[in-house]
Amino acid sequence: MGSGIDQALLAQADTFVALRRDLHRHPELGFQEVRTSALVAEKLAEWGYEVTRGLGGTGVVGQLRRGTGQRRLGLRADMDALPITEATGLPHASCHHGLMHACGHDGHTAMLLAAAHHLAKHGQFSGTLNLIFQPAEEGLGGARKMMDDGLFTRFPCDAIFAMHNMPGHPPGHLLFRTGAFMASSENITITLHGVGGHGAMPHHAADPVVAGAAIVLGLQSIVARNVPPLQMAVITVGAFQAGDANNVIPQTATLKLSVRSLDRSVRELLNRRIRELVEAQAHSYGVRAEVDFRGGYPVLVNTPNETEFARQVGRELVGDAKVTEQAEPLTGSEDFAFMLEDVPGSYLLIGNGDDATGGHGACMVHNPNYDFEDRNIAVGGAYWVRLAERFLVDATA
């Protein structure tokens, strides 16, 4: 697990493995993390943190002040589960049919709680530690909601950090990246309003299906012909819904898009060109288009100084061989990006398992056979402890 892990933290690892498995058995969807947030708040209060509940609905912040240091650090973990039926067959599998922790947020919460316990009992730091337990990361923008409720006004942070597990890498391996690490995401719904009619007399109708088909093909030209070739962009039409009968031209058609990029200017370009193309194509087919942008996440951009600091902490903890200094960016999205727009900081990954290690930890997230790798709880907890103690050093001491 690495020579840098404190023995007192290792001695408590089994306690937090049990806590993680309890969370796994009782998954809760975004903004419904009532049991989870109550457990988090209870533990933090027991260990001496000043606890604030209710930010973002079910969010929890635990604050611990020590010494005379003026620096303020934020560490964030997400708490929500997914609407997936678990297929692991494990003893600690979900007891709620149709819900499971298929992304490891149970493990993220347990890692940060392990660090919280150790820092309260043994932590050597001077300054203000803000532990942020966030609801609704999975597409619902819980980070934005906590911020709208005054997160950084009430709990100012000079820097903020978050960690996510990543299957495909050995357990305990740490991955960092300066700059854009996770893609922006847009959920776009296009509704085409035409004129319905009999399938045998299409000249009396304005067919939204034909217009929609042209739009699906036309959208692909945006990536091919408008986005610079060295930039990443994805436009996926995940749903095309229209009509019920083979001889009826429907009145409306609906397209649902997922749009991603790794550059803020490309994100703006995609959004503008999608609207322009859809409206122009619809008009050319005699139908009207409504374009609705919902729930977008920005590009997650790690700031250079904070990322180098996080990287150095990783090297100290697990050694150079278990650190990837500049990992490849990911096309998935993460609402921690909202926090990084307001506060400098960094988002890192911890390996959850690969083909060599096997087991459920090697399974990709958002899969019914996924499970968090419990060996990471000691490593991840130790990482947060070391990062907090390195960051919260009183320069006047």
Side-chain angles (χ1 to χ4, degrees):
M1 287 185 181
S3 59
I5 299 178
D6 189 283
Q7 290 302 309
L9 196 150
L10 281 173
Q12 289 293 314
D14 288 348
T15 298
F16 291 95
V17 168
L19 185 148
R20 198 284 297 183
R21 294 183 179 186
D22 176 75
L23 292 175
H24 191 91
R25 277 186 51 78
H26 301 91
E28 297 170 302
L29 296 178
F31 298 125
Q32 299 175 31
E33 305 94 339
V34 176
R35 181 185 185 275
T36 304
S37 62
L39 185 152
V40 167
E42 177 187 346
K43 294 295 184 185
L44 292 174
E46 177 186 329
W47 302 330
Y49 287 79
E50 182 180 336
V51 177
T52 301
R53 300 184 63 179
L55 272 74
T58 47
V60 179
V61 178
Q63 187 176 80
L64 191 63
R65 299 184 186 93
R66 286 229 173 115
T68 60
Q70 299 301 303
R71 301 191 85 187
R72 303 158 301 181
L73 173 66
L75 303 179
R76 173 272 207 176
D78 37 18
M79 301 186 293
D80 55 321
L82 285 158
I84 295 174
T85 299
E86 184 161 357
T88 63
L90 293 167
H92 58 272
S94 171
C95 65
H96 300 310
H97 181 76
L99 302 180
M100 74 170 288
H101 272 293
C103 203
H105 297 184
D106 52 340
H108 305 162
T109 297
M111 288 192 297
L112 191 53
L113 284 174
H117 177 265
H118 186 88
L119 286 164
K121 301 295 183 183
H122 310 288
Q124 301 294 316
F125 67 90
S126 181
T128 301
L129 176 64
N130 296 310
L131 303 184
I132 301 164
F133 293 85
Q134 181 208 305
E137 188 280 324
E138 294 289 357
L140 297 175
R144 180 77 265 171
K145 185 66 167 64
M146 290 190 81
M147 293 165 66
D148 290 344
D149 284 353
L151 174 62
F152 294 129
T153 302
R154 299 173 64 180
F155 305 97
C157 296
D158 297 305
I160 189 163
F161 298 86
M163 186 188 321
H164 200 291
N165 76 95
M166 190 62 194
H169 300 274
H173 190 95
L174 300 176
L175 298 94
F176 303 86
R177 182 177 178 83
T178 302
F181 200 1
M182 302 281 283
S184 65
S185 69
E186 238 72 55
N187 299 316
I188 304 174
T189 299
I190 300 166
T191 305
L192 302 173
H193 300 273
V195 177
H198 198 296
M201 294 173 280
H203 56 294
H204 291 306
D207 193 342
V209 175
V210 175
I215 287 170
V216 171
L217 294 176
L219 286 171
Q220 306 312 309
S221 71
I222 295 175
V223 175
R225 288 295 176 264
N226 297 138
V227 176
L230 297 181
Q231 296 279 14
M232 187 284 289
V234 174
I235 300 176
T236 295
V237 180
F240 187 161
Q241 300 161 342
D244 297 299
N246 67 333
N247 63 344
V248 176
I249 294 172
Q251 192 87 3
T252 61
T254 302
L255 287 72
K256 296 181 179 181
L257 280 60
S258 175
V259 180
R260 299 174 186 269
S261 64
L262 279 165
D263 183 271
R264 288 166 178 161
S265 63
V266 172
R267 182 190 187 198
E268 293 171 1
L269 168 68
L270 291 170
N271 291 348
R272 175 175 58 82
R273 286 296 296 134
I274 287 169
R275 186 180 293 279
E276 291 172 348
L277 186 144
V278 168
E279 291 177 350
Q281 285 278 40
H283 180 74
S284 74
Y285 284 90
V287 305
R288 179 173 61 87
E290 290 181 9
V291 185
D292 184 15
F293 290 77
R294 297 182 184 177
Y297 284 4
V299 182
L300 186 149
V301 182
N302 288 333
T303 49
N305 290 342
E306 288 70 24
T307 302
E308 180 52 37
F309 169 72
R311 199 179 278 129
Q312 181 57 40
V313 172
R315 293 191 202 102
E316 291 176 8
L317 182 70
V318 299
D320 292 347
K322 293 184 178 180
V323 167
T324 298
E325 296 205 359
Q326 189 70 353
E328 291 295 315
L330 302 174
T331 53
S333 301
E334 160 66 66
D335 75 346
F336 186 64
F338 287 118
M339 296 188 181
L340 289 176
E341 287 190 322
D342 277 20
V343 180
S346 196
Y347 180 86
L348 64 134
L349 303 175
I350 184 168
N352 200 59
D354 54 13
D355 290 340
T357 54
H360 294 280
C363 178
M364 186 46 68
V365 296
H366 291 222
N367 184 295
N369 289 296
Y370 168 88
D371 190 34
F372 184 83
E373 171 54 69
D374 283 327
R375 286 176 289 175
N376 278 338
I377 291 174
V379 182
Y383 180 84
W384 287 140
V385 168
R386 184 172 292 246
L387 184 141
E389 291 184 333
R390 293 287 187 275
F391 189 89
L392 296 174
V393 175
D394 188 353
T396 64

